[in-house]
Amino acid sequence: SQQGEEDPQALSIQEGENATMNCSYKTSINNLQWYRQNSGRGLVHLILIRSNEREKHSGRLRVTLDTSKKSSSLLITASRAADTASYFCAPFNNNDMRFGAGTRLTVKP
Amino acid sequence: GAVVSQHPSWVICKSGTSVKIECRSLDFQATTMFWYRQFPKQSLMLMATSNEGSKATYEQGVEKDKFLINHASLTLSTLTVTSAHPEDSSFYICSARKGGGVGEKLFFGSGTQLSVL
């Protein structure tokens, strides 16, 4: 099965700082997706990057993908307290997508 | 947009009873829906893939007779936890894939917190 592994497991920063989360996976992918989960809620799709893309932006989000290293990173710039949540990467391949343990981001006001 | 409604949001039941959780795609047709289980501060564990009009595909270690999944229409999938026990207490989440495209993003329900007494 295809599962992403996020790093770090937990990250605590001050409001206004940037937050970087990393994801590694093991096999080839069609695309890689990042999701966010607020405590006790479902997941919300943030961004999808295809295997032939290297970087993608969406608002304050920047995602990179390095297929040679089988890794991806999610950068949240100018973080806000409302960004506090768990973030999951989901590598997708052959109709199989699994979630890792996620990175728990805390943004302190 | 694409909205997935999951109901109920929380349920408390006695040990031995059955609980049904509904997952509806409100504004799109979902040929495939997924059911997950999540323990506190842990990842989502995929339980099964639900395909409209056919039997669900269960992940290894998930008892299909205990977790009954029915995907009767393109907008509704249900998960029934039969003869629930305290160890079944968990957060259950469904997701749906919009359209027929494989590999596109998923839309999630808001989850159901099940507590079995």
Side-chain angles (χ1 to χ4, degrees), chain B residues 17-70:
Chain B
T17 60
S18 294
V19 175
K20 179 185 282 189
I21 303 170
E22 291 188 350
C23 183
R24 293 180 184 273
S25 54
L26 297 186
D27 53 359
F28 66 98
Q29 293 184 332
T31 54
T32 304
M33 290 185 173
F34 304 88
W35 287 96
Y36 307 83
R37 182 174 181 176
Q38 185 180 33
F39 293 103
K41 297 185 179 180
Q42 295 188 25
S43 182
L44 281 73
M45 183 190 78
L46 179 65
M47 298 175 66
T49 302
S50 169
N51 295 297
E52 186 267 336
S54 63
K55 291 183 179 180
T57 302
Y58 289 82
E59 294 300 304
Q60 193 172 9
V62 178
E63 299 176 59
K64 61 181 180 181
D65 293 330
K66 180 161 186 65
F67 298 101
L68 299 178
I69 291 173
N70 185 292

Side-chain angles (χ1 to χ4, degrees), chain A residues 27-28 30 40 44-45 62 76 79 93-95 100 105:
Chain A
T27 66
S28 61
N30 301 114
V44 175
H45 181 270
R62 173 177 168 254
I76 303 175
S79 64
N93 181 40
N94 291 335
N95 204 28
L105 173 65

Side-chain angles (χ1 to χ4, degrees), chain A residues 29-68:
Chain A
I29 60 172
N30 301 114
N31 65 61
L32 186 142
Q33 304 176 31
W34 283 90
Y35 289 81
R36 164 198 168 124
Q37 182 183 34
N38 285 67
S39 180
R41 304 288 293 176
L43 275 68
V44 175
H45 181 270
L46 294 177
I47 196 165
L48 181 155
I49 186 166
R50 301 193 186 280
S51 61
N52 61 353
E53 297 177 311
R54 291 297 168 258
E55 188 172 311
K56 202 163 183 178
H57 297 253
S58 177
R60 293 184 295 113
L61 305 180
R62 173 177 168 254
V63 169
T64 64
L65 179 65
D66 187 336
T67 53
S68 66

Side-chain angles (χ1 to χ4, degrees), chain A residues 5-8 20-24 34 64 71-74 89 103:
Chain A
E5 304 210 358
E6 296 87 352
D7 173 68
T20 299
M21 290 159 269
N22 302 297
C23 170
S24 60
W34 283 90
T64 64
S71 66
S72 174
S73 68
L74 171 67
C89 72
T103 293

